[in-house]
Amino acid sequence: MEFITVKQAAEKWGVSTRRVQVLCAQDRVKGAYRFGRSWMIPEKAVLPNAYRTEEEKMPMPRRSPFLDMTDLYNKAGGADECAEMLINRPEAYALFEAQLAYRRGEIDKVYDRARFFLSSHSGFYAILGGGMLLAQCAIWRGDFALWTEAKKHICEAPCQTKEEREIISLSLAIIDSSVYDNKDYPEWFKSGNFETLPADAHPAAKVFYVKYLYMAAYAIASGKLQYEGAQGLAVMKMIPNAVEPLITQSVVDKTVIPEIFLRMSCAVAYHNSGEREKAIKHIDKAIALALPDKLYGILTEYIRHFNGLLEERLLLVDERALNEINELYDRYRLGWARLSGQVRNKQIATNLTPREHEVAKLKTFGFKPKQIGEMLYLSESMVRYLITQIANKAGCDEDDFSEII
């Protein structure tokens, strides 16, 4: 009989080496035996079903499909330590590791894990988590069919209570917010009323409620949404007033990933309002939280909002991390633009430079070429030239850039 190592088995089965070691220690891999400090595994052995018996179907340690956003992960640099705490809860362990892989931009690993959850007899929260992981893969791949399938899995999760139905609604709102589609949000979510949700789901709900507020502010600033008494960047300038207390609460609650998201969202609002130094404060703190566990995927999602400012701040602390994030962004931006464009029936431009994207955004907000030039330290003639370049690249009219960014 031929044998393989733990590492080889992990690569073959698409799981972590630690997961293979746990399965071997639990005598779950047929024919495996310990050799010194290592395990020898039969070459033809297959990945055992982690949910084979009722005894192994342990409930999630938190009532939420977003384990990585709960206080389980409560210290920057402590992600692997958190995973070890879950090692005796196979389902929770696998879900947390998959979510962590997504935050790191390891999309192929995430896809395999999502398929595993959705093809197994998982519990309610694990099925929701698997569906959301699949949707997140669809974003990076720009795959509309996969996106639709993921939402179908979420809708079909076996809920039994009103609370669980609301968790499904929240899950759908969260993945829709990732592509800036807010047409199907439940009213309770749009009002920020999370009383019907279990407390464990509140950190995630707050993060994506802030994204909803940003989308509304952006729509008002670009003239796509009319709201009595509000116009231009007035609402955008108010967003930090709502987000700063949520950031403080995330610090108190020791929820690392929500704090990163909230700081980055707050920084985007400050940046769009022209308050550079306040944006930098939150960007730098978010970077300090993300880098110890290499949560490059989170930072990747925000690059397009900052016209080079995020890359500038990363370069000051970790050039290698910046290079890896830029490589991830090359993949992410194409997939995101393709999927978001299909979902919202838009043709989002992916060939604009950061400066062109910033000019397009400011013009969408209603600023005149002279004002844009003053804000970006460019001549008015250069701004007009860039506007023409943007229109030519995107194949659109110069009077409406809101449909391409």
Side-chain angles (χ1 to χ4, degrees), residues 79-222:
D80 293 331
E81 180 181 335
C82 174
E84 288 187 12
M85 290 171 56
L86 299 172
I87 206 160
N88 292 321
R89 294 174 175 262
E91 199 168 63
Y93 174 81
L95 180 58
F96 179 83
E97 283 223 317
Q99 291 170 338
L100 187 61
Y102 177 73
R103 305 304 182 194
R104 288 170 168 166
E106 299 168 344
I107 305 306
D108 293 336
K109 183 185 295 185
V110 174
Y111 178 82
D112 291 340
R113 180 62 65 185
R115 286 296 184 199
F116 180 67
F117 277 126
L118 296 172
S119 64
S120 302
H121 299 291
S122 304
F124 172 72
Y125 288 116
I127 289 175
L128 278 189
M132 294 189 69
L133 290 169
L134 201 65
Q136 291 162 335
C137 291
I139 295 172
W140 283 69
R141 295 182 175 190
D143 190 332
F144 185 75
L146 189 62
W147 174 263
T148 303
E149 180 193 346
K151 296 186 78 169
K152 182 174 182 290
H153 283 300
I154 292 172
C155 290
E156 293 177 348
C159 64
Q160 298 179 351
T161 65
K162 183 177 185 298
E163 182 181 85
E164 290 178 345
R165 286 195 294 273
E166 301 292 30
I167 286 284
I168 289 177
S169 296
L170 173 63
S171 300
L172 292 170
I174 284 176
I175 64 172
D176 282 343
S177 73
S178 299
V179 292
Y180 290 86
D181 175 29
N182 61 1
K183 63 180 181 295
D184 296 324
Y185 284 7
E187 289 302 316
W188 59 264
F189 181 82
K190 291 191 285 187
S191 67
N193 181 2
F194 306 137
E195 290 182 5
T196 58
L197 297 175
D200 293 330
H202 284 197
K206 291 173 185 176
V207 165
F208 292 95
Y209 177 65
V210 169
K211 283 198 172 186
Y212 165 72
L213 293 180
Y214 174 80
M215 282 186 276
Y218 192 98
I220 291 170
S222 61

Side-chain angles (χ1 to χ4, degrees), residues 241-270:
N241 294 343
V243 183
E244 292 281 12
L246 298 181
I247 293 172
T248 300
Q249 189 62 51
S250 70
V251 174
V252 172
D253 293 341
K254 296 183 179 180
T255 49
V256 175
I257 286 181
E259 183 182 346
I260 295 172
F261 273 114
L262 290 170
R263 288 192 183 279
M264 293 303 291
S265 295
C266 195
V268 171
Y270 277 132

Side-chain angles (χ1 to χ4, degrees), residues 73-79 256 260 288-293:
Y73 181 17
N74 56 28
K75 181 178 67 176
V256 175
I260 295 172
L289 290 169
L291 292 191
D293 281 316

Side-chain angles (χ1 to χ4, degrees), residues 340-387:
S340 184
Q342 286 183 279
V343 171
R344 295 186 287 158
N345 195 28
K346 297 173 62 171
Q347 187 64 43
I348 298 173
T350 59
N351 57 347
L352 302 182
T353 66
R355 177 54 56 87
E356 289 168 345
H357 187 275
E358 189 74 0
V359 169
K361 181 176 68 177
L362 292 173
K363 190 173 187 305
T364 296
F365 288 166
F367 291 106
K368 304 298 183 185
K370 183 178 180 180
Q371 295 172 304
I372 295 173
E374 291 172 352
M375 296 169 74
L376 301 181
Y377 303 101
L378 299 172
S379 67
E380 183 177 347
S381 60
M382 175 56 75
V383 173
R384 292 187 183 279
Y385 169 76
L386 289 172
I387 289 172

